[in-house]
Amino acid sequence: AKNPDSAAATKLLTNAKAQQDVLADAIYQQMFGDGTVYGIEQPNALYAAFSLIRAGYKADDYFNKMYKKAASQLQELKDKGTVTDNGEEKDFDTLVGGYSEFAYAKIVLFVTAMGKDATDIRGFNLIEAMAKKSNYANTVADMLDATMLLAFDSGNYTLPEGENYYTREELVAKIAGNVDETIAGSIEWDSIDDAVMAVQPLAPYTESASVEKACQKVIRFAGKMQDTQGYL
């Protein structure tokens, strides 16, 4: 709620945690209940696994199998530039279904949540690949900058230097600079969550006046959309 008293706030948080646990189990059963072990050919499955791991969901044996498959595929990419998938040789973009711009970030988030170093997954440097501007030459994707920044910061990774690579500063500036368009998109799509998600990765950068201003815009926007119980 906008102005909860302490007891109400505690109750809301307790209920939210209980709901999170129920939702996490539902997501696990829906995504992974049949026992299929996914790798980098299904970035959204890795993203779901990342979310569950960060939420404290316990399925270590299964997640370890996913990591081993993903690591093996990345080693194949490093060694020969393709991955054998259902008897076909596929490059990275083909393997992940043409959405490599998000795939790198989702893989990084997963392997980092697993406690691994994304700069060296059996010799494959995911951070270098994700930072390389040439991988995004023809990309126009909502939430791309925010997802990339979140992934870079998930392990406080050192980014490669040079004009061919993105910097954190560039990503932060783009996210903050596009906040008005982001809010407009949230209104158009009736999805307040989009605007909030877009500025989440900016939290460590609010010492910058422009970043703080962008975040406050979204906070005020979300606040105006709340009802008296705090729901959007």
Side-chain angles (χ1 to χ4, degrees), residues 17-60:
K17 181 62 172 70
Q19 291 177 40
Q20 175 182 282
D21 293 342
V22 171
L23 181 59
D25 190 60
I27 292 171
Y28 180 83
Q29 295 303 327
Q30 180 180 353
M31 294 288 299
F32 312 118
D34 65 357
T36 301
V37 177
Y38 298 103
I40 66 173
E41 79 287 352
Q42 290 288 346
N44 286 339
L46 298 185
Y47 191 67
F50 144 75
S51 301
L52 292 172
I53 294 165
R54 291 300 194 200
Y57 191 83
K58 298 299 182 184
D60 294 349

Side-chain angles (χ1 to χ4, degrees), residues 93-112:
D93 191 61
T94 303
L95 182 68
V96 301
Y99 293 96
S100 59
E101 58 269 20
F102 279 113
Y104 285 122
K106 290 176 179 179
I107 299 167
V108 168
L109 287 167
F110 169 69
V111 300
T112 305

Side-chain angles (χ1 to χ4, degrees), residues 40-207:
I40 66 173
E41 79 287 352
Q42 290 288 346
N44 286 339
L46 298 185
Y47 191 67
F50 144 75
S51 301
L52 292 172
I53 294 165
R54 291 300 194 200
Y57 191 83
K58 298 299 182 184
D60 294 349
D61 288 346
Y62 177 77
F63 293 144
N64 281 327
K65 289 178 182 177
M66 287 183 67
Y67 172 74
K68 289 178 181 178
K69 180 175 181 179
S72 178
Q73 291 171 316
L74 291 171
Q75 184 175 18
E76 268 195 88
L77 281 173
K78 177 183 71 69
D79 290 345
K80 62 179 185 177
T82 59
V83 173
T84 305
D85 181 55
N86 292 324
E88 295 182 49
E89 293 298 316
K90 299 179 180 180
D91 61 18
F92 183 82
D93 191 61
T94 303
L95 182 68
V96 301
Y99 293 96
S100 59
E101 58 269 20
F102 279 113
Y104 285 122
K106 290 176 179 179
I107 299 167
V108 168
L109 287 167
F110 169 69
V111 300
T112 305
M114 289 291 294
K116 310 299 182 180
D117 180 1
T119 66
D120 185 11
I121 305 297
R122 298 192 186 178
F124 193 102
N125 189 333
L126 282 162
I127 299 302
E128 181 180 9
M130 185 167 66
K132 189 176 296 184
K133 290 182 177 180
S134 60
N135 285 333
Y136 308 93
N138 300 310
T139 296
V140 178
D142 181 49
M143 291 290 293
L144 173 59
D145 301 318
T147 308
M148 287 174 63
L149 183 61
L150 186 66
F152 284 140
D153 286 351
S154 67
N156 196 27
Y157 291 108
T158 299
L159 275 57
E161 297 181 355
E163 63 181 13
N164 296 324
Y165 297 99
Y166 279 109
T167 66
R168 283 180 169 86
E169 290 75 16
E170 286 178 288
L171 295 174
V172 168
K174 288 175 69 177
I175 298 166
N178 289 335
V179 70
D180 290 336
E181 290 82 356
T182 301
I183 291 173
S186 285
I187 295 171
E188 179 182 353
W189 304 322
D190 193 24
S191 178
I192 311 307
D193 193 41
D194 283 2
V196 176
M197 289 175 64
V199 298
Q200 276 183 312
L202 296 181
Y205 304 95
T206 52
E207 290 184 0

Side-chain angles (χ1 to χ4, degrees), residues 1-4 8 12 16 192 196 219 221-232:
K2 288 185 177 180
N3 298 294
L12 285 169
I192 311 307
V196 176
I219 290 171
F221 166 63
K224 289 178 181 178
M225 303 306 293
Q226 285 182 313
D227 63 21
T228 57
Q229 297 300 310
Y231 294 109
L232 297 175

